[in-house]
Amino acid sequence: MSKAVVQIDDLVKRYKEKTAVDHFSLTIREGEILGLLGPNGSGKTTTINCLLSILRYDEGQVRIFGRKMGPGENDIKRDIGVVMQNVAVIDGLTVQENIDFFCGLYVRDRARRKELVRQAIEMTQLQDYTRYLPRKLSGGLLRRLNIACGIAHRPKLIIFDEPTVAVDPQSRNAILDGIRRLNEGGATIIYTSHYMEEVEELCSRIVIMDRGKAVAEGTADQLKGMLKNQETVTIEVRDISVEILDGIRRLDHVSEVKKSGEKIVVRCDGGSGNLVRIVGFLMEHHVSFGRVNSELPTLNDVFLQITGKELRD
């Protein structure tokens, strides 16, 4: 088993009467891309700030690279990259100068820094914009610059907080491709996002927080497997008898059947071949039907069931 890069044990952070993080524990192993999700107020941002020693916590312990993390642990911080949602670059410097400046906070050797800056520009696909000032960049390009500044020194642990908010599809693809390459190059990544398709595409493991606690953990498939309804089959049908509906209810793995206008909605609690079984039953009983659709549960469905809250900005 790979070694732990981040070890959080029984973390507690209080704000007067409010407990923002409530005995939260988490282990992140080398090479993982961990999706840390939670609705607004769940405690994930507070957890990240405690992890970085930006905030003092009340109880528990945080270890990074096997060492206890604290405000003065500069040797640890040199190996951490942070890309926050709010863009933080220097307006008076060009794209290349910005990246060089932030990389220079960690890397003194000019030749080494020059190569790292080149790699960061290539990774974020900013080759055509190196002489641009930030005010001349689109929102998507500005976010790419923000990422390049945060990762140019090649940190071993990188925290991405909503890196693709309000960016164009081209920039989003460039950002996600860059994150994959960083991970393939050995970086361990913590990724927060309100875009479930990104999380499912990128993350090897997902932790859902609510009210300061970890309420669910696993791969995307494992989390979706927690839901009672594993498949929803929708069939267009004009006329269908109560007897046929009752017959569908008695089929294997069918948990619920509803008639809604000129459609029936069948929810299944697992198993395979549900769609074929339901359509076969209708054909056997000479029921005419139109369009058929099958939907598997999404991460957002998991989120709604676990937290009762929509995951959105």
Side-chain angles (χ1 to χ4, degrees):
M1 183 180 291
S2 57
K3 62 184 178 182
V5 171
V6 174
Q7 183 73 52
I8 301 174
D9 295 309
D10 283 324
L11 186 69
V12 177
K13 174 61 182 176
R14 302 184 184 92
Y15 295 100
K16 296 183 178 179
E17 302 299 321
K18 178 180 173 59
T19 301
V21 181
D22 189 0
H23 296 280
F24 178 76
S25 296
L26 175 66
T27 301
I28 305 174
R29 300 204 169 272
E30 188 176 40
E32 279 196 288
I33 302 181
L34 180 96
L36 184 60
L37 308 181
N40 292 334
S42 64
K44 65 181 187 298
T45 300
T46 301
T47 297
I48 289 172
N49 286 336
C50 291
L51 173 69
L52 296 171
S53 285
I54 296 172
L55 286 176
R56 290 182 178 273
Y57 46 90
D58 298 290
E59 299 176 32
Q61 181 174 262
V62 175
R63 299 182 71 85
I64 300 179
F65 310 126
R67 296 168 55 187
K68 186 176 180 180
M69 182 62 169
E73 294 294 336
N74 293 325
D75 287 345
I76 298 177
K77 292 179 180 180
R78 286 192 187 97
D79 284 325
I80 301 175
V82 183
V83 181
M84 303 305 284
Q85 182 175 348
N86 296 325
V87 175
V89 296
I90 301 172
D91 293 335
L93 299 181
T94 66
V95 165
Q96 182 156 341
E97 289 168 344
N98 261 287
I99 301 170
D100 183 71
F101 172 81
F102 285 100
C103 187
L105 298 176
Y106 304 93
V107 181
R108 297 296 184 186
D109 182 83
R110 290 187 178 183
R112 172 65 175 155
R113 191 166 73 241
K114 183 178 180 180
E115 175 59 19
L116 289 174
V117 170
R118 185 195 66 77
Q119 291 176 10
I121 289 170
E122 182 179 309
M123 186 166 295
T124 50
Q125 299 178 28
L126 288 170
Q127 298 94 320
D128 296 335
Y129 307 96
T130 55
R131 296 178 182 273
Y132 282 53
L133 292 172
R135 65 175 177 270
K136 297 291 186 179
L137 300 177
S138 67
L141 291 171
L142 195 57
R143 286 204 174 274
R144 289 196 231 173
L145 172 58
N146 197 46
I147 291 171
C149 292
I151 59 90
H153 62 293
R154 280 302 179 101
K156 297 176 183 177
L157 171 66
I158 309 173
I159 300 170
F160 288 96
D161 183 21
E162 304 282 352
T164 62
V165 168
V167 303
D168 58 277
Q170 182 180 6
S171 288
R172 176 170 293 174
N173 289 336
I175 290 168
L176 297 182
D177 286 344
I179 291 171
R180 287 190 199 92
R181 279 183 280 165
L182 287 166
N183 180 244
E184 290 166 1
T188 301
I189 292 168
I190 301 173
Y191 190 83
T192 78
S193 177
H194 284 162
Y195 299 114
M196 291 290 93
E197 68 277 8
E198 291 181 6
V199 174
E200 189 162 0
E201 183 181 341
L202 278 177
C203 299
S204 51
R205 187 163 58 100
I206 299 163
V207 172
I208 299 176
M209 292 187 70
D210 195 25
R211 300 179 183 179
K213 297 177 178 287
V215 293
E217 178 181 344
T219 65
D221 286 342
Q222 286 170 340
L223 291 177
K224 287 186 283 187
M226 295 169 57
L227 295 183
K228 178 182 178 182
N229 294 318
Q230 293 296 298
E231 184 178 7
T232 300
V233 178
T234 305
I235 303 173
E236 292 181 353
V237 55
R238 290 188 177 182
D239 299 312
I240 190 166
S241 66
V242 173
E243 290 77 16
I244 295 297
L245 291 175
D246 286 341
I248 295 173
R249 288 189 182 95
R250 289 192 292 271
L251 294 176
D252 289 345
H253 302 294
V254 171
S255 59
E256 183 182 12
V257 180
K258 286 184 178 181
K259 178 80 164 63
S260 177
E262 295 187 348
K263 293 180 180 179
I264 58 170
V265 179
V266 184
R267 303 191 191 280
C268 305
D269 61 9
S272 60
N274 295 311
L275 178 61
V276 173
R277 193 178 303 112
I278 295 165
V279 168
F281 180 86
L282 294 176
M283 294 176 68
E284 180 184 344
H285 290 81
H286 308 291
V287 177
S288 298
F289 57 90
R291 184 178 300 173
V292 179
N293 183 54
S294 172
E295 293 183 358
L296 297 174
T298 66
L299 280 180
N300 201 53
D301 294 329
V302 176
F303 213 91
L304 283 169
Q305 180 164 310
I306 291 174
T307 69
K309 301 164 188 172
E310 192 78 47
L311 188 59
R312 58 180 57 170
D313 296 335

